[in-house]
Amino acid sequence: SLQATSNMAVQRVSMLETFLATIMVMAVFRTAYVLARVDVIMTVALGIVVSLWLWRTALSADHERLWKTLETLAKAKNWRGILALEDKAMDVATALRKSRPDVVEAICCTIGSSYQGTGHFERAIALHKQCKEMAAEAKNKARLANACDNLAACYMSMHQTILAVELLKESKLINEELGNWVGVSATCSNLGAIYFSM
């Protein structure tokens, strides 16, 4: 069919891009071989490893299209539009769980924020907790702080201030470690608002 032909064409382009990237990487290592006398076999092996990594981490055309749609809807704060695509998005998340955990986390965060935006806080919390776990597994402190902030916002909306304060304190500590003073300031502002209301 026309769709299948189109997908094959996209795959060929993706394979060509991967092949060209591999050639570029091999050229760099070939230069290193000339300058530092690196073994030629090591040069080829490294080129192949990089090629496989590029192929494994590349998004398919369909995944890329869906991801861009979610990004556009999120920027417009079109929460209902995002939730209409939840099943497709979660299918993509399942498919990319091992190869692209960063994309999976972003999908969960986007859908979680959409539930948050429509007042469905329990579902939002479940998704933001997944984001927090994935960020901790990846040892990505910036994303971990972001997940804490999202969870705290949900708990604040549900008037569960003790949980919100714990998460905001965790976020504050992480942002201080990272030197993210804008994040620290925002967290302190939220903590101040909670303490003022108590």
Side-chain angles (χ1 to χ4, degrees):
S1 68
L2 183 59
Q3 181 65 38
T5 304
S6 174
N7 286 340
M8 287 177 64
V10 169
Q11 288 175 356
R12 286 195 194 100
V13 170
S14 178
M15 289 175 66
L16 178 61
E17 289 174 348
T18 302
F19 176 72
L20 291 174
T22 304
I23 295 299
M24 289 173 63
V25 170
M26 290 180 71
V28 169
F29 282 103
R30 180 62 183 163
T31 302
Y33 164 72
V34 171
L35 297 175
R37 298 183 181 180
V38 177
D39 193 290
V40 176
I41 295 173
M42 181 61 73
T43 303
V44 173
L46 284 169
I48 292 169
V49 168
V50 171
S51 175
L52 289 171
W53 181 82
L54 288 168
W55 175 80
R56 185 176 65 86
T57 58
L59 292 177
S60 72
D62 289 341
H63 293 169
E64 187 74 34
R65 204 175 302 115
L66 177 62
W67 177 237
K68 285 181 179 177
T69 301
L70 290 174
E71 281 187 318
T72 301
L73 291 169
K75 286 176 184 174
K77 295 185 178 178
N78 185 347
W79 310 129
R80 296 190 186 283
I82 290 171
L83 293 178
L85 296 170
E86 180 183 3
D87 289 343
K88 286 184 180 178
M90 295 312 288
D91 285 345
V92 170
T94 300
L96 299 178
R97 177 78 189 192
K98 290 184 178 179
S99 62
R100 290 298 300 268
D102 57 322
V103 174
V104 175
E105 185 190 336
I107 288 171
C108 288
C109 180
T110 301
I111 295 172
S113 296
S114 300
Y115 276 111
Q116 188 176 335
T118 55
H120 296 86
F121 299 113
E122 290 184 2
R123 176 63 175 147
I125 286 169
L127 287 162
H128 288 316
K129 279 183 176 178
Q130 286 184 43
C131 293
K132 189 171 186 254
E133 289 170 7
M134 286 185 277
E137 285 174 15
K139 297 181 180 178
N140 189 314
K141 291 187 176 181
R143 288 174 7 213
L144 184 58
N146 185 60
C148 289
D149 289 333
N150 287 334
L151 282 166
C154 289
Y155 286 123
M156 285 167 65
S157 297
M158 296 173 72
H159 306 290
Q160 296 185 26
T161 53
I162 293 174
L163 288 172
V165 167
E166 287 176 2
L167 286 157
L168 288 170
K169 284 181 177 178
E170 185 178 349
S171 173
K172 180 175 174 287
L173 285 173
I174 294 168
N175 281 316
E176 284 173 345
E177 286 178 26
L178 295 173
N180 178 10
W181 304 114
V182 173
V184 172
S185 176
T187 304
C188 287
S189 177
N190 287 329
L191 281 168
I194 290 175
Y195 289 138
F196 182 78
S197 66
M198 292 175 74

